[in-house]
Amino acid sequence: MQHRDDNNERWVQHNFDALTMRGLSRTTKVLIAVGVACSILILLNMLELRNIREPGPAPQKLKATKAKQPKFVVYTKDGRTGHLKHVFNVMRRLGYEESTVEDNWDVLWSHPYPFTILPALKHLKPHQKVNHFPGSGFITNKANLATMDIPHVPKAFRLPKDRELLFDYVKRNPKKVFVQKSNHHRGIKISNVKELDLSANGTFVQEYVDRPLLVDGYKFDIGVYTILTSVDPLRVYIYGGDVLFRFCPEKYHPFDPKVVDKYVIGDDYLPTWKVPSLKKYFTDGGFSMKDSFDAYMREIGKEPEKVWKSVEAAIQEVYLQTELSIVNLLSQYKTKQTYFEMVRFDFVIDEDLNVFIMEANMSPNLSSQHFPPNSILYEQVLFNLLSLVGVGQQVHKESLIRTKEEMIMQVNSKQLGVYPEICGTRCDTCMAPECQICQGCLTEEMHRTLQAAYLEHVNRHECRRVFPPPMTQKEAAKHFVSDSYSPENQLMYRWFKGKCLLDKAWCE
């Protein structure tokens, strides 16, 4: 700074001397010199300020990177997916990115049965998930289901193969009437045997459930969303948050078999919120369809719990009877851990609250275009289903691949332990049935099975286990396991019993 002041002083002196030579008065010369010096100082300061304010090189911007997401595929035969809008909604909210069948996807949601169309599904990676089981048609094929010899399925006969059996049944039950069906489920109407086309291939004749329970004069069916997560051992759940009620658009009485809208439920069914006795609960009270029905049943002096116990028993019977067929087909596939399936069982009820299965829908309708209020039900069913099977994951990353450390973080061996009074002292060998699920006796495959069962229970939300059957701690203490169960199912049931005895939250 001192150096700059000396230079300025010399510059002023020089200019002062030059001005003296022009004959100006001394005072004028001094003022002019001072003014010039001040102007120069101002200019110098302005230059310094500019240098101070001049920005340096622009900082390098961090390159924005999009976080990788797990991938899902929605597959249909014709490429149209508008009816699966809610599947897209839920998958995207769970953090999945839409992909293609050819890509390295994590979840495949197929509307049709995919295993005859996509042969690559025989060789899936362990982390990939598919929303159908190989062999699920043993349950969802209408003729297969109708001809199961179980109490909750009305008697049925395949045509023309079982024609003589049908005649014999009619002789013993002359007042019975029937409906003739095919797998396409179209053109159903009540007929007597003389009106049936007994030579029609691919059809079956099923006994009609007379005296149906009515609400405000309308016949109805109940759709129960059912989830299969494993076979061999078998694990089955139902969505307990709600069920789908559908009512015939015409009142049942006076009955006329020619008016099919009185007893056949089609796409243009009457929804719950248009049935007066249920509307006051569903719309005005804000309750679910199931809770509205239960309240109405108690109002008319009937106990709805009988219905729901029978529903669960019927679902158990179907899966236990078809499990071996599914297991045999599944043995052709690389892994049996990668599949899950949600079907909707449709039930009708008679006046005595007897429950009958009408059909099981492999890919139930999830479109709310016709009935927008159903969108809540569909998305809650999907969310609960995907949480149950680990697709709605708690550990988030770019795929469903899980490291050993991540699995241990979610469920470790100590959380799988049961029967401490037995496993801790009496299992020197692994021969006793209870010892086979002790830590030292578990096979690697059974350890993975118990991990999956544990995570299903933790992530089940409003899903309720149907098989192994729920139990109380008192029932679990009896140590009873049905001999009719396969060895794998007996082990699974024993494990749930052991967890129930340790913590009653595991009983159901």
Side-chain angles (χ1 to χ4, degrees):
M1 181 61 74
Q2 182 63 42
H3 177 70
R4 181 185 298 167
D5 291 345
D6 292 343
N7 287 340
N8 291 338
E9 196 173 310
R10 283 197 297 272
W11 187 89
V12 171
Q13 182 62 44
H14 170 76
N15 283 282
F16 176 77
D17 293 343
L19 289 170
T20 302
M21 294 166 53
R22 295 180 184 174
L24 297 174
S25 68
R26 183 177 178 85
T27 302
T28 301
K29 292 175 183 177
V30 170
L31 291 173
I32 291 172
V34 170
V36 171
C38 289
S39 298
I40 291 172
L41 286 172
I42 291 171
L43 286 171
L44 289 171
N45 287 330
M46 289 177 65
L47 286 171
E48 283 197 13
L49 284 172
R50 181 181 176 187
N51 288 335
I52 292 172
R53 293 175 184 172
E54 188 79 26
Q60 188 174 1
K61 292 183 179 179
L62 292 175
K63 194 172 183 179
T65 57
K66 185 179 178 181
K68 291 185 179 180
Q69 299 170 278
K71 298 178 180 180
F72 78 100
V73 178
V74 172
Y75 178 79
T76 60
K77 281 184 179 179
D78 57 11
R80 292 184 294 179
T81 58
H83 58 297
L84 298 172
K85 176 183 75 171
H86 298 300
V87 175
F88 283 92
N89 288 348
V90 175
M91 291 299 297
R92 287 167 179 161
R93 289 171 194 152
L94 290 173
Y96 284 76
E97 179 181 37
E98 186 180 353
S99 186
T100 63
V101 174
E102 296 76 22
D103 201 355
N104 185 25
W105 47 266
D106 294 278
V107 180
L108 171 69
W109 186 281
S110 178
H111 188 70
Y113 181 78
F115 301 104
T116 55
I117 308 169
L118 303 173
L121 298 185
K122 278 196 172 184
H123 308 285
L124 292 177
K125 298 173 183 176
H127 74 279
Q128 292 181 304
K129 297 284 188 181
V130 180
N131 73 316
H132 291 290
F133 262 90
S136 57
F138 291 112
I139 293 171
T140 59
N141 179 280
K142 292 177 176 59
N144 286 349
L145 180 63
T147 53
M148 285 185 187
D149 189 19
I150 57 178
H152 293 286
V153 176
K155 193 70 175 174
F157 305 87
R158 293 178 186 264
L159 293 178
K161 183 181 75 169
D162 296 334
R163 183 166 53 183
E164 296 305 318
L165 294 174
L166 171 63
F167 289 152
D168 183 61
Y169 185 76
V170 170
K171 284 180 183 178
R172 289 183 281 111
N173 301 276
K175 294 184 179 181
K176 294 291 185 182
V177 292
F178 301 87
V179 290
Q180 189 165 5
K181 301 179 181 180
S182 71
N183 274 328
H184 300 296
H185 193 62
R186 291 290 182 266
I188 295 173
K189 67 176 182 178
I190 294 175
S191 306
N192 59 43
V193 174
K194 294 179 181 179
E195 297 171 322
L196 297 173
D197 183 359
L198 301 181
S199 62
N201 280 312
T203 67
F204 61 97
V205 171
Q206 190 167 33
E207 181 182 336
Y208 176 70
V209 178
D210 56 5
R211 300 187 307 110
L213 180 68
L214 307 177
V215 177
D216 293 344
Y218 297 101
K219 182 187 173 183
F220 61 92
D221 70 6
I222 303 172
V224 179
Y225 294 93
T226 306
I227 304 161
L228 176 64
T229 63
S230 173
V231 294
D232 195 35
L234 182 66
R235 292 195 302 278
V236 184
Y237 298 78
I238 60 173
Y239 173 63
D242 206 354
V243 295
L244 179 66
F245 278 82
R246 305 182 305 171
F247 292 81
C248 289
E250 296 282 340
K251 289 194 174 184
Y252 194 75
H253 295 296
F255 186 72
D256 183 351
K258 295 179 181 178
V259 183
V260 295
D261 281 346
K262 288 178 174 286
Y263 59 93
V264 176
I265 297 165
D267 295 335
D268 294 320
Y269 62 84
L270 188 72
T272 297
W273 51 91
K274 291 190 177 181
V275 179
S277 290
L278 300 182
K279 177 181 178 295
K280 63 185 179 183
Y281 297 110
F282 182 83
T283 303
D284 303 336
F287 292 96
S288 68
M289 285 185 256
K290 179 180 180 296
D291 288 342
S292 299
F293 172 77
D294 288 357
Y296 166 76
M297 291 288 282
R298 294 187 183 102
E299 182 182 320
I300 63 173
K302 295 182 181 290
E303 181 48 58
E305 194 56 37
K306 178 183 177 182
V307 172
W308 304 121
K309 285 182 178 179
S310 296
V311 163
E312 291 186 15
I315 292 171
Q316 281 182 28
E317 290 170 351
V318 170
Y319 279 100
L320 284 169
Q321 187 161 126
T322 55
E323 181 192 15
L324 183 58
S325 297
I326 297 174
V327 168
N328 289 337
L329 188 56
L330 191 58
S331 65
Q332 303 173 21
Y333 288 74
K334 184 177 179 181
T335 173
K336 63 180 182 181
Q337 305 291 341
T338 195
Y339 309 104
F340 65 93
E341 182 132 26
M342 184 264 287
V343 303
R344 192 190 73 216
F345 279 85
D346 292 339
F347 295 87
V348 296
I349 310 170
D350 69 13
E351 292 175 346
D352 299 321
L353 303 191
N354 296 309
V355 169
F356 301 93
I357 300 175
M358 292 292 100
E359 61 181 355
N361 298 278
M362 177 182 289
S363 294
N365 177 32
L366 294 173
S367 172
S368 61
Q369 184 175 3
H370 201 51
F371 296 108
N374 284 346
S375 62
I376 298 173
L377 170 63
Y378 297 151
E379 294 195 357
Q380 286 186 328
V381 167
L382 288 166
F383 171 70
N384 279 262
L385 159 69
L386 296 173
S387 296
L388 178 71
V389 301
V391 171
Q393 52 191 324
Q394 291 183 326
V395 179
H396 296 277
K397 55 192 298 183
E398 63 187 61
S399 83
L400 285 178
I401 297 173
R402 287 286 167 265
T403 66
K404 181 179 178 181
E405 291 74 20
E406 286 168 341
M407 284 301 296
I408 292 174
M409 178 183 71
Q410 294 179 85
V411 50
N412 62 65
S413 296
K414 295 185 184 303
Q415 292 170 302
L416 302 179
V418 291
Y419 304 120
E421 70 283 358
I422 297 174
C423 294
T425 59
R426 300 187 220 164
C427 287
D428 295 332
T429 67
C430 297
M431 299 301 294
E434 288 80 5
C435 291
Q436 292 174 29
I437 47 178
C438 294
Q439 293 297 318
C441 301
L442 285 178
T443 64
E444 186 176 343
E445 182 178 358
M446 194 61 187
H447 187 271
R448 287 196 299 268
T449 296
L450 295 185
Q451 281 184 318
Y454 183 96
L455 290 175
E456 285 173 8
H457 180 83
V458 170
N459 298 324
R460 71 194 187 283
H461 293 289
E462 291 195 84
C463 294
R464 174 180 167 84
R465 196 180 74 245
V466 173
F467 193 89
M471 64 200 85
T472 65
Q473 284 187 318
K474 185 176 180 180
E475 290 169 337
K478 294 177 182 178
H479 292 282
F480 172 77
V481 180
S482 174
D483 291 336
S484 65
Y485 295 166
S486 69
E488 292 78 12
N489 288 341
Q490 289 185 29
L491 286 178
M492 191 84 265
Y493 185 56
R494 283 193 181 94
W495 183 76
F496 273 109
K497 284 202 341 169
K499 294 296 289 183
C500 173
L501 290 170
L502 291 171
D503 181 356
K504 65 180 180 181
W506 277 83
C507 296
E508 296 186 354

